[in-house]
mmCIF file with all atom_site columns, all heavy atoms in Angstrom:
data_model
loop_
_atom_site.group_PDB
_atom_site.id
_atom_site.type_symbol
_atom_site.label_atom_id
_atom_site.label_alt_id
_atom_site.label_comp_id
_atom_site.label_asym_id
_atom_site.label_entity_id
_atom_site.label_seq_id
_atom_site.pdbx_PDB_ins_code
_atom_site.Cartn_x
_atom_site.Cartn_y
_atom_site.Cartn_z
_atom_site.occupancy
_atom_site.B_iso_or_equiv
_atom_site.pdbx_formal_charge
_atom_site.auth_seq_id
_atom_site.auth_comp_id
_atom_site.auth_asym_id
_atom_site.auth_atom_id
_atom_site.pdbx_PDB_model_num
ATOM 1   N N   . LEU A 1 10  ? 3.820   10.218 -7.115  1.00 67.00 ? 10  LEU A N   1
ATOM 2   C CA  . LEU A 1 10  ? 4.755   10.438 -8.227  1.00 67.00 ? 10  LEU A CA  1
ATOM 3   C C   . LEU A 1 10  ? 3.983   10.845 -9.491  1.00 67.00 ? 10  LEU A C   1
ATOM 4   O O   . LEU A 1 10  ? 4.363   11.800 -10.179 1.00 67.00 ? 10  LEU A O   1
ATOM 5   C CB  . LEU A 1 10  ? 5.523   9.146  -8.499  1.00 67.00 ? 10  LEU A CB  1
ATOM 6   C CG  . LEU A 1 10  ? 6.785   9.331  -9.312  1.00 67.00 ? 10  LEU A CG  1
ATOM 7   C CD1 . LEU A 1 10  ? 7.888   9.902  -8.446  1.00 67.00 ? 10  LEU A CD1 1
ATOM 8   C CD2 . LEU A 1 10  ? 7.221   7.990  -9.909  1.00 67.00 ? 10  LEU A CD2 1
ATOM 9   N N   . ASP A 1 46  ? -0.670  68.395 -24.541 1.00 88.00 ? 46  ASP A N   1
ATOM 10  C CA  . ASP A 1 46  ? 0.191   69.399 -25.148 1.00 88.00 ? 46  ASP A CA  1
ATOM 11  C C   . ASP A 1 46  ? 0.618   68.965 -26.548 1.00 88.00 ? 46  ASP A C   1
ATOM 12  O O   . ASP A 1 46  ? 0.605   69.747 -27.494 1.00 88.00 ? 46  ASP A O   1
ATOM 13  C CB  . ASP A 1 46  ? 1.449   69.616 -24.289 1.00 88.00 ? 46  ASP A CB  1
ATOM 14  C CG  . ASP A 1 46  ? 1.146   70.456 -23.063 1.00 88.00 ? 46  ASP A CG  1
ATOM 15  O OD1 . ASP A 1 46  ? 0.235   71.319 -23.199 1.00 88.00 ? 46  ASP A OD1 1
ATOM 16  O OD2 . ASP A 1 46  ? 1.763   70.244 -22.023 1.00 88.00 ? 46  ASP A OD2 1
ATOM 17  N N   . ARG A 1 350 ? -5.740  37.703 -59.177 1.00 93.00 ? 350 ARG A N   1
ATOM 18  C CA  . ARG A 1 350 ? -4.801  36.760 -58.578 1.00 93.00 ? 350 ARG A CA  1
ATOM 19  C C   . ARG A 1 350 ? -5.547  35.523 -58.046 1.00 93.00 ? 350 ARG A C   1
ATOM 20  O O   . ARG A 1 350 ? -4.941  34.512 -57.803 1.00 93.00 ? 350 ARG A O   1
ATOM 21  C CB  . ARG A 1 350 ? -4.072  37.443 -57.409 1.00 93.00 ? 350 ARG A CB  1
ATOM 22  C CG  . ARG A 1 350 ? -3.237  38.601 -57.840 1.00 93.00 ? 350 ARG A CG  1
ATOM 23  C CD  . ARG A 1 350 ? -2.688  39.355 -56.653 1.00 93.00 ? 350 ARG A CD  1
ATOM 24  N NE  . ARG A 1 350 ? -3.718  40.151 -55.967 1.00 93.00 ? 350 ARG A NE  1
ATOM 25  C CZ  . ARG A 1 350 ? -3.496  40.915 -54.918 1.00 93.00 ? 350 ARG A CZ  1
ATOM 26  N NH1 . ARG A 1 350 ? -2.276  40.973 -54.406 1.00 93.00 ? 350 ARG A NH1 1
ATOM 27  N NH2 . ARG A 1 350 ? -4.462  41.591 -54.358 1.00 93.00 ? 350 ARG A NH2 1
ATOM 28  N N   . SER A 1 430 ? -30.552 68.825 -49.066 1.00 89.00 ? 430 SER A N   1
ATOM 29  C CA  . SER A 1 430 ? -30.995 67.609 -48.387 1.00 89.00 ? 430 SER A CA  1
ATOM 30  C C   . SER A 1 430 ? -31.822 66.811 -49.352 1.00 89.00 ? 430 SER A C   1
ATOM 31  O O   . SER A 1 430 ? -32.411 67.333 -50.299 1.00 89.00 ? 430 SER A O   1
ATOM 32  C CB  . SER A 1 430 ? -31.850 67.978 -47.164 1.00 89.00 ? 430 SER A CB  1
ATOM 33  O OG  . SER A 1 430 ? -32.652 66.891 -46.797 1.00 89.00 ? 430 SER A OG  1
ATOM 34  N N   . ASP A 1 719 ? -59.306 57.877 -58.057 1.00 94.00 ? 719 ASP A N   1
ATOM 35  C CA  . ASP A 1 719 ? -60.570 58.455 -57.630 1.00 94.00 ? 719 ASP A CA  1
ATOM 36  C C   . ASP A 1 719 ? -60.651 58.431 -56.111 1.00 94.00 ? 719 ASP A C   1
ATOM 37  O O   . ASP A 1 719 ? -59.993 57.603 -55.478 1.00 94.00 ? 719 ASP A O   1
ATOM 38  C CB  . ASP A 1 719 ? -61.735 57.650 -58.172 1.00 94.00 ? 719 ASP A CB  1
ATOM 39  C CG  . ASP A 1 719 ? -61.803 57.674 -59.699 1.00 94.00 ? 719 ASP A CG  1
ATOM 40  O OD1 . ASP A 1 719 ? -61.154 58.556 -60.279 1.00 94.00 ? 719 ASP A OD1 1
ATOM 41  O OD2 . ASP A 1 719 ? -62.473 56.820 -60.279 1.00 94.00 ? 719 ASP A OD2 1
ATOM 42  N N   . ILE A 1 721 ? -62.176 57.206 -52.647 1.00 91.00 ? 721 ILE A N   1
ATOM 43  C CA  . ILE A 1 721 ? -62.533 55.810 -52.385 1.00 91.00 ? 721 ILE A CA  1
ATOM 44  C C   . ILE A 1 721 ? -63.996 55.490 -52.757 1.00 91.00 ? 721 ILE A C   1
ATOM 45  O O   . ILE A 1 721 ? -64.253 54.497 -53.420 1.00 91.00 ? 721 ILE A O   1
ATOM 46  C CB  . ILE A 1 721 ? -62.326 55.500 -50.878 1.00 91.00 ? 721 ILE A CB  1
ATOM 47  C CG1 . ILE A 1 721 ? -60.839 55.542 -50.564 1.00 91.00 ? 721 ILE A CG1 1
ATOM 48  C CG2 . ILE A 1 721 ? -62.873 54.117 -50.539 1.00 91.00 ? 721 ILE A CG2 1
ATOM 49  C CD1 . ILE A 1 721 ? -60.019 54.414 -51.078 1.00 91.00 ? 721 ILE A CD1 1
ATOM 50  N N   . TYR A 1 734 ? -65.864 63.453 -50.561 1.00 90.00 ? 734 TYR A N   1
ATOM 51  C CA  . TYR A 1 734 ? -65.770 64.324 -51.747 1.00 90.00 ? 734 TYR A CA  1
ATOM 52  C C   . TYR A 1 734 ? -67.066 64.209 -52.532 1.00 90.00 ? 734 TYR A C   1
ATOM 53  O O   . TYR A 1 734 ? -67.146 63.489 -53.502 1.00 90.00 ? 734 TYR A O   1
ATOM 54  C CB  . TYR A 1 734 ? -64.592 63.927 -52.606 1.00 90.00 ? 734 TYR A CB  1
ATOM 55  C CG  . TYR A 1 734 ? -63.265 64.012 -51.880 1.00 90.00 ? 734 TYR A CG  1
ATOM 56  C CD1 . TYR A 1 734 ? -62.681 62.912 -51.312 1.00 90.00 ? 734 TYR A CD1 1
ATOM 57  C CD2 . TYR A 1 734 ? -62.641 65.243 -51.729 1.00 90.00 ? 734 TYR A CD2 1
ATOM 58  C CE1 . TYR A 1 734 ? -61.474 62.981 -50.613 1.00 90.00 ? 734 TYR A CE1 1
ATOM 59  C CE2 . TYR A 1 734 ? -61.438 65.349 -51.034 1.00 90.00 ? 734 TYR A CE2 1
ATOM 60  C CZ  . TYR A 1 734 ? -60.880 64.191 -50.489 1.00 90.00 ? 734 TYR A CZ  1
ATOM 61  O OH  . TYR A 1 734 ? -59.694 64.318 -49.803 1.00 90.00 ? 734 TYR A OH  1
ATOM 62  N N   . LEU B 2 31  ? 5.744   5.320  -15.095 1.00 78.00 ? 31  LEU B N   1
ATOM 63  C CA  . LEU B 2 31  ? 6.721   6.362  -14.754 1.00 78.00 ? 31  LEU B CA  1
ATOM 64  C C   . LEU B 2 31  ? 7.787   6.468  -15.824 1.00 78.00 ? 31  LEU B C   1
ATOM 65  O O   . LEU B 2 31  ? 8.103   7.560  -16.299 1.00 78.00 ? 31  LEU B O   1
ATOM 66  C CB  . LEU B 2 31  ? 7.359   5.998  -13.405 1.00 78.00 ? 31  LEU B CB  1
ATOM 67  C CG  . LEU B 2 31  ? 8.253   7.080  -12.819 1.00 78.00 ? 31  LEU B CG  1
ATOM 68  C CD1 . LEU B 2 31  ? 7.385   8.253  -12.390 1.00 78.00 ? 31  LEU B CD1 1
ATOM 69  C CD2 . LEU B 2 31  ? 9.042   6.551  -11.624 1.00 78.00 ? 31  LEU B CD2 1
ATOM 70  N N   . PHE B 2 91  ? -0.030  43.866 -51.529 1.00 96.00 ? 91  PHE B N   1
ATOM 71  C CA  . PHE B 2 91  ? -0.690  43.049 -50.518 1.00 96.00 ? 91  PHE B CA  1
ATOM 72  C C   . PHE B 2 91  ? -0.758  41.623 -51.071 1.00 96.00 ? 91  PHE B C   1
ATOM 73  O O   . PHE B 2 91  ? -1.201  41.392 -52.186 1.00 96.00 ? 91  PHE B O   1
ATOM 74  C CB  . PHE B 2 91  ? -2.097  43.582 -50.286 1.00 96.00 ? 91  PHE B CB  1
ATOM 75  C CG  . PHE B 2 91  ? -2.808  42.915 -49.158 1.00 96.00 ? 91  PHE B CG  1
ATOM 76  C CD1 . PHE B 2 91  ? -2.625  43.353 -47.848 1.00 96.00 ? 91  PHE B CD1 1
ATOM 77  C CD2 . PHE B 2 91  ? -3.661  41.853 -49.390 1.00 96.00 ? 91  PHE B CD2 1
ATOM 78  C CE1 . PHE B 2 91  ? -3.275  42.740 -46.795 1.00 96.00 ? 91  PHE B CE1 1
ATOM 79  C CE2 . PHE B 2 91  ? -4.323  41.232 -48.319 1.00 96.00 ? 91  PHE B CE2 1
ATOM 80  C CZ  . PHE B 2 91  ? -4.136  41.685 -47.049 1.00 96.00 ? 91  PHE B CZ  1
ATOM 81  N N   . TYR B 2 290 ? -6.666  72.301 -19.387 1.00 89.00 ? 290 TYR B N   1
ATOM 82  C CA  . TYR B 2 290 ? -7.414  71.874 -20.553 1.00 89.00 ? 290 TYR B CA  1
ATOM 83  C C   . TYR B 2 290 ? -8.901  71.706 -20.274 1.00 89.00 ? 290 TYR B C   1
ATOM 84  O O   . TYR B 2 290 ? -9.669  71.420 -21.173 1.00 89.00 ? 290 TYR B O   1
ATOM 85  C CB  . TYR B 2 290 ? -6.838  70.580 -21.131 1.00 89.00 ? 290 TYR B CB  1
ATOM 86  C CG  . TYR B 2 290 ? -5.540  70.833 -21.855 1.00 89.00 ? 290 TYR B CG  1
ATOM 87  C CD1 . TYR B 2 290 ? -4.310  70.553 -21.254 1.00 89.00 ? 290 TYR B CD1 1
ATOM 88  C CD2 . TYR B 2 290 ? -5.549  71.351 -23.139 1.00 89.00 ? 290 TYR B CD2 1
ATOM 89  C CE1 . TYR B 2 290 ? -3.126  70.807 -21.901 1.00 89.00 ? 290 TYR B CE1 1
ATOM 90  C CE2 . TYR B 2 290 ? -4.371  71.613 -23.810 1.00 89.00 ? 290 TYR B CE2 1
ATOM 91  C CZ  . TYR B 2 290 ? -3.152  71.339 -23.176 1.00 89.00 ? 290 TYR B CZ  1
ATOM 92  O OH  . TYR B 2 290 ? -2.006  71.572 -23.854 1.00 89.00 ? 290 TYR B OH  1
ATOM 93  N N   . GLU B 2 383 ? -30.724 66.370 -40.193 1.00 91.00 ? 383 GLU B N   1
ATOM 94  C CA  . GLU B 2 383 ? -30.075 65.126 -40.623 1.00 91.00 ? 383 GLU B CA  1
ATOM 95  C C   . GLU B 2 383 ? -28.665 65.000 -40.050 1.00 91.00 ? 383 GLU B C   1
ATOM 96  O O   . GLU B 2 383 ? -28.283 63.939 -39.543 1.00 91.00 ? 383 GLU B O   1
ATOM 97  C CB  . GLU B 2 383 ? -29.986 65.091 -42.157 1.00 91.00 ? 383 GLU B CB  1
ATOM 98  C CG  . GLU B 2 383 ? -31.300 64.815 -42.837 1.00 91.00 ? 383 GLU B CG  1
ATOM 99  C CD  . GLU B 2 383 ? -31.314 65.207 -44.292 1.00 91.00 ? 383 GLU B CD  1
ATOM 100 O OE1 . GLU B 2 383 ? -30.237 65.517 -44.856 1.00 91.00 ? 383 GLU B OE1 1
ATOM 101 O OE2 . GLU B 2 383 ? -32.385 65.244 -44.890 1.00 91.00 ? 383 GLU B OE2 1
ATOM 102 N N   . GLU B 2 552 ? -47.905 49.220 -62.636 1.00 95.00 ? 552 GLU B N   1
ATOM 103 C CA  . GLU B 2 552 ? -47.426 50.576 -62.435 1.00 95.00 ? 552 GLU B CA  1
ATOM 104 C C   . GLU B 2 552 ? -46.870 50.779 -61.017 1.00 95.00 ? 552 GLU B C   1
ATOM 105 O O   . GLU B 2 552 ? -46.056 51.700 -60.801 1.00 95.00 ? 552 GLU B O   1
ATOM 106 C CB  . GLU B 2 552 ? -48.517 51.576 -62.764 1.00 95.00 ? 552 GLU B CB  1
ATOM 107 C CG  . GLU B 2 552 ? -47.901 52.914 -63.132 1.00 95.00 ? 552 GLU B CG  1
ATOM 108 C CD  . GLU B 2 552 ? -48.927 53.933 -63.566 1.00 95.00 ? 552 GLU B CD  1
ATOM 109 O OE1 . GLU B 2 552 ? -49.799 53.579 -64.368 1.00 95.00 ? 552 GLU B OE1 1
ATOM 110 O OE2 . GLU B 2 552 ? -48.805 55.090 -63.120 1.00 95.00 ? 552 GLU B OE2 1
ATOM 111 N N   . GLU B 2 687 ? -56.808 58.150 -49.301 1.00 95.00 ? 687 GLU B N   1
ATOM 112 C CA  . GLU B 2 687 ? -58.187 58.447 -49.687 1.00 95.00 ? 687 GLU B CA  1
ATOM 113 C C   . GLU B 2 687 ? -58.456 58.178 -51.146 1.00 95.00 ? 687 GLU B C   1
ATOM 114 O O   . GLU B 2 687 ? -59.450 58.624 -51.695 1.00 95.00 ? 687 GLU B O   1
ATOM 115 C CB  . GLU B 2 687 ? -58.489 59.922 -49.388 1.00 95.00 ? 687 GLU B CB  1
ATOM 116 C CG  . GLU B 2 687 ? -58.294 60.273 -47.938 1.00 95.00 ? 687 GLU B CG  1
ATOM 117 C CD  . GLU B 2 687 ? -58.855 61.634 -47.612 1.00 95.00 ? 687 GLU B CD  1
ATOM 118 O OE1 . GLU B 2 687 ? -58.972 62.476 -48.507 1.00 95.00 ? 687 GLU B OE1 1
ATOM 119 O OE2 . GLU B 2 687 ? -59.193 61.852 -46.420 1.00 95.00 ? 687 GLU B OE2 1
ATOM 120 N N   . ARG B 2 689 ? -58.387 55.466 -54.713 1.00 95.00 ? 689 ARG B N   1
ATOM 121 C CA  . ARG B 2 689 ? -58.329 54.130 -55.275 1.00 95.00 ? 689 ARG B CA  1
ATOM 122 C C   . ARG B 2 689 ? -58.075 54.268 -56.745 1.00 95.00 ? 689 ARG B C   1
ATOM 123 O O   . ARG B 2 689 ? -58.178 55.376 -57.298 1.00 95.00 ? 689 ARG B O   1
ATOM 124 C CB  . ARG B 2 689 ? -59.658 53.403 -54.998 1.00 95.00 ? 689 ARG B CB  1
ATOM 125 C CG  . ARG B 2 689 ? -60.814 53.993 -55.787 1.00 95.00 ? 689 ARG B CG  1
ATOM 126 C CD  . ARG B 2 689 ? -62.005 53.065 -55.845 1.00 95.00 ? 689 ARG B CD  1
ATOM 127 N NE  . ARG B 2 689 ? -62.883 53.545 -56.903 1.00 95.00 ? 689 ARG B NE  1
ATOM 128 C CZ  . ARG B 2 689 ? -64.147 53.901 -56.694 1.00 95.00 ? 689 ARG B CZ  1
ATOM 129 N NH1 . ARG B 2 689 ? -64.693 53.835 -55.496 1.00 95.00 ? 689 ARG B NH1 1
ATOM 130 N NH2 . ARG B 2 689 ? -64.885 54.310 -57.717 1.00 95.00 ? 689 ARG B NH2 1
ATOM 131 N N   . ASP B 2 691 ? -59.052 53.493 -60.634 1.00 93.00 ? 691 ASP B N   1
ATOM 132 C CA  . ASP B 2 691 ? -60.098 53.070 -61.532 1.00 93.00 ? 691 ASP B CA  1
ATOM 133 C C   . ASP B 2 691 ? -59.570 53.134 -62.966 1.00 93.00 ? 691 ASP B C   1
ATOM 134 O O   . ASP B 2 691 ? -58.639 53.884 -63.221 1.00 93.00 ? 691 ASP B O   1
ATOM 135 C CB  . ASP B 2 691 ? -61.319 54.003 -61.419 1.00 93.00 ? 691 ASP B CB  1
ATOM 136 C CG  . ASP B 2 691 ? -62.087 53.742 -60.134 1.00 93.00 ? 691 ASP B CG  1
ATOM 137 O OD1 . ASP B 2 691 ? -62.064 52.625 -59.634 1.00 93.00 ? 691 ASP B OD1 1
ATOM 138 O OD2 . ASP B 2 691 ? -62.725 54.716 -59.637 1.00 93.00 ? 691 ASP B OD2 1
#
Side-chain angles (χ1 to χ4, degrees):
Chain A
L10 197 77
D46 283 329
R350 297 171 288 182
S430 159
D719 295 344
I721 293 287
Y734 301 98
Chain B
L31 188 69
F91 188 85
Y290 286 101
E383 285 161 12
E552 204 175 315
E687 301 192 335
R689 68 164 196 238
D691 286 333

